[in-house]
Amino acid sequence: MSDGKQFQLDAEQQQLLDHADKYAREQLYPLAQRMDEEEWWPQHAFREMGELGMLGVTVDPRYGGVGMDLLSAGLIAQALARWNHAMALSWLAHDNLCANNIFQNGSEWVREKYLPGLCSGELIGALGLTEPGAGSDALGSMRSTARREGDGYLLNGRKMYITNGPVADIVLLYARTDPAAGNQGISAFVVETDSPGFSTARKLIKMGFRGSQTAELALEDVWVPRSNLVGTENQGVKVVMSGLDYERAVAAPISLGMAERALELSVEWAKTREQFGQPIANFQMVQAKLADMYTWIETMKVFIYQVLAASAAAGPEAAGHGRIHMQTAAAVMYAANMCNKVLDEMLQIHGGVGYLWETEANRLYRGNKLLEIGAGTTEVRKMIISQGLLA
């Protein structure tokens, strides 16, 4: 389905979206305010999602997964983000950045050891790539090291902005195994967070997505067995690139889900909020804002679905270069930019009440900037697209 002809979901895909939406609305939405106010994490949520088939979405059933494609994963992300975008982000880090990457690149031993727990929700996963002082240039500026020690490696360093960091059981973590080789001297490891020397240096307090736990991680002589190497030594860049494009493809629906909820809230508020003796929905300027929001969301939806379908058809070997590299960067960039516009109009429609911290509109609005920064900033996304065009 990479020919661009898929403009709407089929019956099975719509059923999946509705299934995830119902769960998120009934079970995760009631948790959203407390998660935001207290940066609280509901320990039971991932196990529930595992039982309902919303974890291990792209993982083969022989490892406990569901065996669906990236479009299916994107639909779950969209539904979760409608009702609890913080949980959607944690789900993305767990299911796509960690579980899917291990499935695509891990040895049979690593798959059999870790994927069943990740798919059931017994284990919570994270990705450990970014470091203090290393954001967009995460690979080139990486300082964490992994030195051979017996039948394994000693890992030292720090990781920054790690989604699920404070609650993760395992981290797919990158470190330099050959410092002299630049980006070609990086390796990927599955690291268990209860390993001696592994710690949460600090939990990070954020402006938005507050319920999604984020941390700086510290590694001080953390010993990891050679069997926990993901891919081959010094080939971590391949592991990164095989996952990053598809992270972007599945991250884009989070913007879509948040924008959909913002429009819903705005319509409800416009119908009930009265000024000058009538609902503000009667004013043409408000109607124009709602019309723009709807149009932006519908164009987001078509583009996101097309790129997800193309990514699913292309497979992991197409990641990191060519058309898929450009498309996924464009999809996540466009989705984040349009979501920002939708959320801005939502706050304008809500007026003063939208500026209050405790409102859902405010919670959504505070999340918008992360969507333009995470998984590569807007500027990095533009670089990827333009470099592809000029190649």
Side-chain angles (χ1 to χ4, degrees):
M1 291 185 289
S2 59
D3 57 3
K5 294 181 180 179
Q6 176 160 324
F7 290 94
Q8 62 184 15
L9 304 178
D10 61 30
E12 185 175 346
Q13 291 163 341
Q14 186 63 52
Q15 186 178 26
L16 173 63
L17 179 60
D18 293 343
H19 166 66
D21 179 89
K22 183 176 186 294
Y23 168 73
R25 183 177 67 253
E26 294 178 355
Q27 302 300 324
L28 298 182
Y29 181 61
L31 310 178
Q33 185 170 358
R34 182 184 173 190
M35 289 175 67
D36 182 72
E37 290 178 352
E38 302 176 16
E39 294 224 345
W40 168 71
W41 176 255
Q43 294 288 344
H44 65 282
F46 269 32
R47 288 181 180 270
E48 285 184 353
M49 284 190 272
E51 292 173 359
L52 293 172
M54 290 190 286
L55 294 183
V57 178
T58 55
V59 174
D60 193 289
R62 70 178 181 270
Y63 304 110
V66 185
M68 294 192 288
D69 62 10
L70 280 171
L71 177 53
S72 300
L75 296 176
I76 292 174
Q78 176 187 350
L80 297 179
R82 287 173 177 172
W83 302 103
N84 191 323
H85 55 276
M87 186 60 72
L89 181 64
S90 287
W91 173 92
L92 175 71
H94 170 95
D95 215 60
N96 183 269
L97 280 68
C98 185
N100 181 66
N101 219 333
I102 290 174
F103 171 61
Q104 296 294 343
N105 297 287
S107 66
E108 192 65 19
W109 187 90
V110 166
R111 290 175 176 177
E112 290 179 353
K113 182 173 183 179
Y114 295 110
L115 285 177
L118 291 170
C119 293
S120 69
E122 180 182 351
L123 299 177
I124 296 177
L127 176 72
L129 177 62
T130 308
E131 299 186 356
S136 297
D137 186 23
L139 295 173
S141 302
M142 186 176 296
R143 295 183 178 180
S144 295
T145 60
R147 177 173 56 83
R148 287 281 192 94
E149 181 75 17
D151 192 27
Y153 300 82
L154 279 180
L155 273 62
N156 285 278
R158 289 187 175 244
K159 296 295 177 179
M160 192 67 166
Y161 309 122
I162 306 305
T163 302
N164 294 346
V167 296
D169 298 291
I170 66 168
V171 180
L172 178 59
L173 191 141
Y174 294 84
R176 290 193 180 279
T177 39
D178 184 356
N183 288 357
Q184 301 309 311
I186 293 172
S187 301
F189 304 87
V190 176
V191 182
E192 299 179 10
T193 59
D194 61 358
S195 301
F198 188 103
S199 65
T200 298
R202 58 183 171 129
K203 180 180 175 182
L204 303 176
I205 308 302
K206 309 186 300 295
M207 177 175 72
F209 284 89
R210 288 167 49 80
S212 178
Q213 307 293 293
T214 310
E216 179 182 2
L217 304 178
L219 302 99
E220 298 180 5
D221 287 338
V222 177
W223 189 80
V224 177
R226 184 173 177 81
S227 56
N228 278 34
L229 189 67
V230 176
T232 58
E233 186 176 283
N234 297 327
Q235 296 298 309
V237 171
K238 292 183 179 179
V239 180
V240 171
M241 298 312 298
S242 71
L244 187 56
D245 282 349
Y246 298 134
E247 173 196 349
R248 290 173 176 145
V250 181
I254 295 179
S255 294
L256 174 58
M258 291 174 66
E260 288 179 314
R261 180 59 179 159
L263 176 58
E264 187 175 81
L265 289 172
S266 298
V267 170
E268 291 173 358
W269 182 253
K271 288 179 177 179
T272 57
R273 173 63 168 168
E274 291 192 0
Q275 292 289 278
F276 306 104
Q278 58 184 312
I280 63 172
N282 290 350
F283 302 135
Q284 288 183 343
M285 283 189 289
V286 173
Q287 293 170 7
K289 292 180 185 299
L290 295 174
D292 283 338
M293 294 164 74
Y294 169 81
T295 304
W296 295 332
I297 289 169
E298 289 303 305
T299 57
M300 287 167 63
K301 192 179 299 181
V302 172
F303 189 21
I304 288 169
Y305 288 171
Q306 281 186 293
V307 172
L308 281 165
S311 299
E317 64 280 356
H321 57 87
R323 188 171 180 81
I324 289 298
H325 195 43
M326 294 171 59
Q327 285 183 326
T328 55
V332 74
M333 180 184 73
Y334 183 76
N337 290 348
M338 291 302 102
C339 182
N340 197 332
K341 290 168 70 70
V342 169
L343 294 177
D344 190 62
E345 293 289 35
M346 170 200 68
L347 210 69
Q348 199 68 23
I349 290 170
H350 279 75
V353 72
Y355 202 66
L356 299 179
W357 182 276
E358 69 268 18
T359 63
E360 184 178 359
N362 188 275
R363 184 165 68 242
L364 284 166
Y365 187 78
R366 282 186 278 111
N368 70 25
K369 185 50 66 173
L370 177 63
L371 303 171
E372 296 180 314
I373 297 172
T377 63
T378 296
E379 290 74 20
V380 169
R381 297 163 190 174
K382 288 182 178 180
M383 286 171 56
I384 292 170
I385 297 164
S386 61
Q387 287 169 2
L389 293 172
L390 297 170

